[in-house]
Amino acid sequence: EGKTPVLLATKDTLLAIVYVADQVKPEAKDMVQALHKLGKKVIMLTGDNKNTGEYIAHLVGIDEVIAEVMPEDKLNVIKDLQAKGNIVVMAGDGVNDAPALAQADVGIAMGTGTDVAIESAGITLLGGDISKLVKAVRLSKMTMNGIKQNLFWAFIYNIVGIPLAAGALYPVFGWLLNPVFAGFAMAMSSVSVVSNSLRIKAKKL
């Protein structure tokens, strides 16, 4: 069951066995499932022994376990994944996670973790709530989609407006862009970009 036995004994007799184990957070399984729905692969990097890592991974549905690793091993795993063309998000809270957090494309630290982990990461989840990791991924996707949409509309305004303002279409169609309408179009382009960006606030993560 992934527990570590602690033996209490005299010189001749085994008196007791105490099993020690980390408690899995209730939201961990739901978080892994949500990441799978987003098309993400989840890998556990742990310094614990292989049996413990595989048991915990089985409980929460993690795809792959790399156990009994030192801090430099975690760093090398991140580098190997990146060398294969993967974009790597690393979440951790300990001193031994700091090098890997700094190397990852996106480092996510727990607010309840060590200061060095928080300093090494790009994102800090306040309160150590790991379920917010999924919200961070969703928010980043929404933000990138918004940026792409804003660039599209900005290009459309300019592709249509600049030739009209320059008089390029006047010899063929007799079209010119009145300065009043040019100013209005410029203002509307800014309004559309800002309004599209503000839509993120209304979306549920």
Side-chain angles (χ1 to χ4, degrees):
E1 296 181 351
K3 297 175 182 177
T4 302
V6 178
L7 310 180
L8 175 64
T10 63
K11 186 176 181 180
D12 303 312
T13 307
L14 177 63
L15 300 176
I17 303 175
V18 179
Y19 293 98
V20 181
D22 289 325
Q23 186 175 6
V24 177
K25 291 186 176 182
E27 65 271 18
K29 187 173 182 179
D30 292 336
M31 182 210 68
V32 172
Q33 290 177 347
L35 288 174
H36 284 157
K37 289 179 181 178
L38 290 172
K40 310 301 179 186
K41 180 179 180 180
V42 183
I43 300 174
M44 176 192 289
L45 293 176
T46 177
D48 288 333
N49 68 68
K50 187 177 180 181
N51 290 338
T52 300
E54 289 181 347
Y55 178 75
I56 298 299
H58 173 72
L59 287 181
V60 300
I62 290 172
D63 302 302
E64 182 181 348
V65 178
I66 302 174
E68 301 174 13
V69 290
M70 301 296 286
E72 59 270 22
D73 298 323
K74 293 184 180 182
L75 176 63
N76 290 331
V77 169
I78 299 296
K79 288 181 177 179
D80 289 341
L81 289 169
Q82 291 172 327
K84 295 175 182 177
N86 296 296
I87 296 174
V88 181
V89 177
M90 167 73 183
D93 61 359
V95 174
N96 57 347
D97 295 322
L101 286 170
Q103 175 64 36
D105 296 284
V106 180
I108 300 179
M110 304 297 124
T112 53
T114 60
D115 290 341
V116 67
I118 293 172
E119 287 294 328
S120 301
I123 299 173
T124 301
L125 302 181
L126 299 179
D129 184 359
I130 200 167
S131 65
K132 291 178 182 176
L133 191 152
V134 179
K135 293 182 179 181
V137 173
R138 288 175 179 160
L139 179 60
S140 68
K141 290 175 71 71
M142 288 180 186
T143 302
M144 285 305 300
N145 288 335
I147 291 171
K148 292 174 183 177
Q149 292 165 3
N150 290 343
L151 285 172
F152 170 79
W153 286 111
F155 276 116
I156 289 296
Y157 274 108
N158 285 285
I159 288 170
V160 174
I162 290 175
L164 282 173
L169 302 180
Y170 182 76
V172 181
F173 300 104
W175 292 348
L176 282 174
L177 187 63
N178 188 297
V180 174
F181 288 106
F184 176 75
M186 185 64 199
M188 285 305 299
S189 69
S190 299
V191 170
S192 63
V193 166
V194 172
S195 300
N196 187 50
S197 299
L198 289 174
R199 286 190 311 116
I200 295 177
K201 293 184 67 177
K203 292 186 176 182
K204 290 185 177 180
L205 297 174

